[in-house]
Amino acid sequence: MVPTTALPGGEWYIRPDFGDGILVATHHTDEEVNPDHYDNTPDEKTILELTDQLGEVIPELRDAGIRGQYCGVYSSTPDHDFILDQIGPDGCYFACGFSGHGFKQAPAVGKIMSDLVTTGSTPLVDATFFSYDRFSESAAGHGKAADNV
Ligand SMILES: Cc1cc2nc3c(=O)[nH]c(=O)nc-3n(C[C@H](O)[C@H](O)[C@H](O)COP(=O)(O)OP(=O)(O)OC[C@H]3O[C@@H](n4cnc5c(N)ncnc54)[C@H](O)[C@@H]3O)c2cc1C
C-alpha cells in the first residue's frame, strides 16, 4: 500500500487508486485553457519527466505500466479565492473559482450559499471577501495567490 505522498520538490503527489495501482498527479497553474476545448491527454514530455522523477524516489515504479491518464482544469481566480455571490438577475448566484481547493471547502461553501440565497447574508464569514466586485476594484482581487493551493 502506498500512502498519499508528496514527492520532493512539491510538484507531484501520489495516492492509491485503480485497485492495486497508484494515481500520480501534478499541476501546472500558469497556462490558460478554454475548458470547453482543451486536450485532456497529458503530454509525452510530462509523462517522461514524471517517470524519471518517480523512479528516483521509488525505483520499483520506474517500469510500472500506465493504466489511464487525464488532465483536469483548475477554475482559478487571479487571487485563488472563491467567488460566492449574487451576480446579475435577482435569484442568480455564483459559487465558482475554487482554484484547486473547492472540494475540501464544500461544506462551508454549501452553508454560505444557502445563507445567501435564503437570507441575503451569512453569519459564517464576511461574505464581501468572496464578492465578484473585488475584481472591478482591482483585477488582482486580494492580490497574489499563495503557491501550491
Ligand atoms: C487536478 C485537480 C486537483 C484538485 N485537487 C483538489 C484537492 O486536492 N482538494 C480540493 O479541495 N480541491 C481540489 N480540486 C478542486 C476541486 O476539484 C474543485 O474545486 C471542485 O470540484 C469544484 O466543484 P464544483 O461542483 O464547483 O465544480 P465541478 O466539480 O467542476 O462540477 C461542475 C459540473 O458541472 C458540469 N457541467 C459543466 N458545464 C455544464 C453544462 N453546460 N451543462 C450541464 N452540466 C455542466 C460538469 O460536467 C461538472 O460535472 C482539484 C481540481 C483539479 C482539476
Side-chain angles (χ1 to χ4, degrees):
M1 172 65 77
V2 179
T4 298
T5 308
L7 298 189
E11 286 299 314
W12 302 94
Y13 62 90
I14 60 180
R15 67 168 172 78
D17 206 318
F18 307 113
D20 59 349
I22 61 164
L23 181 145
V24 183
T26 187
H27 46 91
H28 302 283
T29 54
D30 52 354
E31 183 187 349
E32 289 189 20
V33 298
N34 179 335
D36 290 329
H37 305 284
Y38 77 100
D39 185 358
N40 63 16
T41 310
D43 62 80
E44 186 81 15
K45 181 169 168 282
T46 302
I47 297 287
L48 290 174
E49 278 175 13
L50 161 66
T51 308
D52 271 357
Q53 293 178 22
L54 201 57
E56 284 171 22
V57 183
I58 310 175
E60 292 79 4
L61 289 178
R62 198 183 295 275
D63 298 322
I66 298 175
R67 290 204 196 164
Q69 46 188 306
Y70 186 82
C71 279
V73 175
Y74 288 106
S75 56
S76 297
T77 60
D79 54 17
H80 286 197
D81 289 320
F82 312 155
I83 295 167
L84 308 176
D85 205 353
Q86 191 274 318
I87 301 172
D90 283 352
C92 179
Y93 289 81
F94 279 64
C96 59
F98 291 111
S99 310
H101 49 285
F103 183 78
K104 57 179 148 297
Q105 312 279 354
V109 168
K111 168 71 174 135
I112 292 167
M113 292 310 292
S114 64
D115 286 345
L116 292 181
V117 169
T118 55
T119 70
S121 64
T122 178
L124 199 62
V125 291
D126 175 3
T128 59
F129 185 85
F130 300 108
S131 74
Y132 180 61
D133 283 349
R134 71 183 188 269
F135 299 113
S136 50
E137 289 156 20
S138 162
H142 299 128
K144 187 179 181 306
D147 289 336
N148 290 329
V149 288

